[in-house]
Amino acid sequence: VRIPTPRAPPGKLNIVEEIKNLKKFGEEALRREDTLKKLEVLAMEGERNRRLMSEGGVHKSLILFLVKCTREEEEEEGQRRTKGYLDESLRLLHLIGVPLNDARTILIENDRILESLTLVLNQQDFLNKAYTIVLLRNLTENTSSHIVERLSAEIFKGIIGFLRDVVSSFNRVKPNVSATVQPSNSRVRNKAPSKLDHSVVIKQGVTAAMMILLETSSWSRNRTILVDLGAVSELIELEINSTGEKRTTELVLGILSRLCCCADGRAEFLAHRCGIAIVTKRLLRVSAAADDRALSILSTVSKYSPESEVVEEMVSVKTVDKLCSVIRIDCGLSLKEKAKEILRDHFDEWKKFPCIDVALVTKLLSSSHKDRL
């Protein structure tokens, strides 16, 4: 007995039909007034629909359409019309993502994609920047290291500009009652936020931005570009204004530790009045990974920067006290050794400050990891 193929009730969107329609008509279908909206509604319905879209190659059609839209948007007459297409394409791509196997090759096969994403990153739309950075991370995460190594300065400029906007939003927006008071209805309280919830998207954008910066800062050429673009200051400001997310702090400290490997990076770090202070504050408060990165920053800065300037600042913000705590508490041996090295390198300078307990520092420096204090 033949079982008829289930059909969607009249008026209800059918995901399979929409994908077939997109495959058949391509860009023409996407330019129809309601196609992108229909696909977004279907994507929001559940994981099954998003999986079918990925399997059907919807993300490829959207990326090619995105490239076309950004080219048209450069022409003044097409700006208003294509802005809507651009917004909806980025939202839909954010919902369905790019499968790992396709992400590895998309950038290699189409060199216009990075150019298009760069144009979006350097526009004014804050939310579109977040969508674009998440997409960029999705595309670069497992692609050729040559592409990641050679990302343009304009892309970095857009990413740092996005982080600057995030910091500005922290300073500008005060939490309102609805954001701070938990609803009394447990079903409302426990409801998961939408994948397109603005706060969720911005948070994902920040994480993706820092993952890109952490990976790309492995190369000297990129470190130089990032420092010249003011990345050090923006990262410090981001950490000062952050809500205490462990992952955010680990990423910020990781990037700063790499940027401080170059002289200009260290100079920018010391030029910020809160640089050493915020790193000292995070030490022993976040995680072992954060401690390791914080100590790497303090070690590099104290070793290769003007001694008197660094020593005075470290005494002022109680870095010396924190280093002593690292040696005294139960933590990794490598962390203790890094702390000892910093204290030992500047011991003669520490002694000049009456607020420093020289006897304690001397005892800690002479102790072994087996000693119990």
Side-chain angles (χ1 to χ4, degrees):
V1 178
R2 181 179 178 275
I3 301 174
T5 302
R7 296 188 180 277
K12 183 172 176 62
L13 296 176
N14 185 311
I15 181 67
V16 177
E17 289 300 320
E18 291 298 329
I19 293 173
K20 284 182 180 178
N21 183 51
L22 182 58
K23 284 184 175 180
K24 183 177 180 179
F25 296 102
E27 183 186 327
E28 180 187 340
L30 290 172
R31 287 187 184 276
R32 291 174 188 163
E33 187 175 349
D34 59 349
T35 299
L36 286 166
K37 287 184 172 64
K38 285 181 180 177
L39 290 171
E40 183 177 322
V41 169
L42 288 164
M44 290 290 286
E45 285 183 0
E47 188 59 40
R48 173 184 173 275
N49 284 357
R50 292 192 287 272
R51 178 175 52 78
L52 288 172
M53 287 183 182
S54 291
E55 292 172 356
V58 173
H59 56 283
K60 292 183 179 179
S61 299
L62 286 170
I63 288 174
L64 291 175
F65 188 53
L66 188 67
V67 171
K68 192 75 179 289
C69 286
T70 53
R71 289 172 64 184
E72 290 178 1
E73 202 175 27
E74 288 186 278
E75 302 172 11
E76 188 173 349
E77 62 183 35
Q79 283 187 359
R80 185 172 297 178
R81 184 179 69 253
T82 57
K83 178 68 166 64
Y85 293 145
L86 189 64
D87 296 349
E88 291 174 354
S89 298
L90 285 168
R91 277 203 309 272
L92 188 51
L93 273 168
H94 186 79
L95 280 171
I96 64 177
V98 180
L100 180 61
N101 290 337
D102 290 336
R104 287 173 176 161
T105 57
I106 284 176
L107 290 180
I108 297 173
E109 294 172 353
N110 191 332
D111 58 0
R112 292 299 302 270
I113 295 172
L114 283 179
E115 182 182 331
S116 297
L117 297 183
T118 303
L119 288 170
V120 180
L121 278 176
N122 286 286
Q123 291 175 353
Q124 297 300 315
D125 195 308
F126 185 37
L127 205 56
N128 278 358
K129 289 181 184 181
Y131 290 138
T132 301
I133 290 171
V134 173
L135 176 59
L136 181 61
R137 172 59 182 166
N138 196 182
L139 293 174
T140 58
E141 188 173 2
N142 292 286
T143 194
S144 165
S145 60
H146 176 71
I147 291 176
V148 178
E149 180 186 358
R150 305 301 298 178
L151 287 180
S152 72
E154 287 299 306
I155 284 184
F156 289 129
K157 179 182 176 183
I159 292 174
I160 293 168
F162 169 73
L163 294 178
R164 186 178 297 117
D165 291 343
V166 171
V167 172
S168 296
S169 72
F170 285 152
N171 295 330
R172 186 172 61 248
V173 179
K174 301 290 184 183
N176 55 34
V177 174
S178 63
T180 55
V181 177
Q182 291 285 350
S184 57
N185 186 318
S186 60
R187 294 175 67 181
V188 174
R189 183 173 61 245
N190 296 327
K191 185 178 179 181
S194 161
K195 287 175 71 72
L196 292 180
D197 182 279
H198 287 191
S199 62
V200 173
V201 173
I202 299 304
K203 183 177 177 181
Q204 291 172 341
V206 170
T207 301
M210 290 194 294
M211 291 294 288
I212 294 170
L213 296 184
L214 182 65
E215 185 175 358
T216 54
S217 59
S218 298
W219 288 278
S220 174
R221 171 245 185 204
N222 293 339
R223 287 196 292 270
T224 300
I225 292 173
L226 290 171
V227 170
D228 288 346
L229 289 171
V232 173
S233 177
E234 296 305 331
L235 288 166
I236 293 171
E237 289 295 327
L238 181 67
E239 184 58 31
I240 291 170
N241 291 279
S242 73
T243 55
E245 290 277 343
K246 183 179 88 165
R247 186 61 177 145
T248 301
T249 296
E250 289 174 347
L251 288 168
V252 167
L253 295 177
I255 302 164
L256 285 174
S257 69
R258 289 184 174 175
L259 297 184
C260 284
C261 289
C262 63
D264 288 344
R266 292 190 293 274
E268 289 297 313
F269 180 80
L270 290 174
H272 195 293
R273 58 188 178 84
C274 295
I276 291 178
I278 192 63
V279 172
T280 299
K281 185 176 181 179
R282 294 295 182 258
L283 190 56
L284 298 180
R285 287 190 175 189
V286 182
S287 66
D291 292 342
D292 183 63
R293 293 167 183 182
L295 285 169
S296 292
I297 294 169
L298 296 173
S299 175
T300 304
V301 169
S302 65
K303 187 176 294 184
Y304 299 109
S305 301
E307 183 176 40
S308 58
E309 180 182 348
V310 174
V311 166
E312 186 173 345
E313 180 69 12
M314 284 186 168
V315 172
S316 174
V317 300
K318 300 191 180 302
T319 306
V320 179
D321 295 345
K322 213 54 169 302
L323 294 172
C324 290
S325 296
V326 171
I327 300 171
R328 299 176 72 177
I329 69 168
D330 184 18
C331 64
L333 181 59
S334 63
L335 299 181
K336 293 178 183 291
E337 290 304 318
K338 281 184 180 180
K340 280 187 176 183
E341 182 183 10
I342 299 169
L343 288 174
R344 190 179 294 115
D345 286 347
H346 304 287
F347 183 71
D348 290 339
E349 292 297 315
W350 307 132
K351 291 191 296 184
K352 298 176 183 177
F353 293 88
C355 59
I356 299 297
D357 188 339
V358 178
L360 175 62
V361 174
T362 303
K363 183 179 180 181
L364 291 173
L365 289 177
S366 62
S367 67
S368 71
H369 67 280
K370 295 180 181 179
D371 295 333
R372 298 287 181 182
L373 294 176

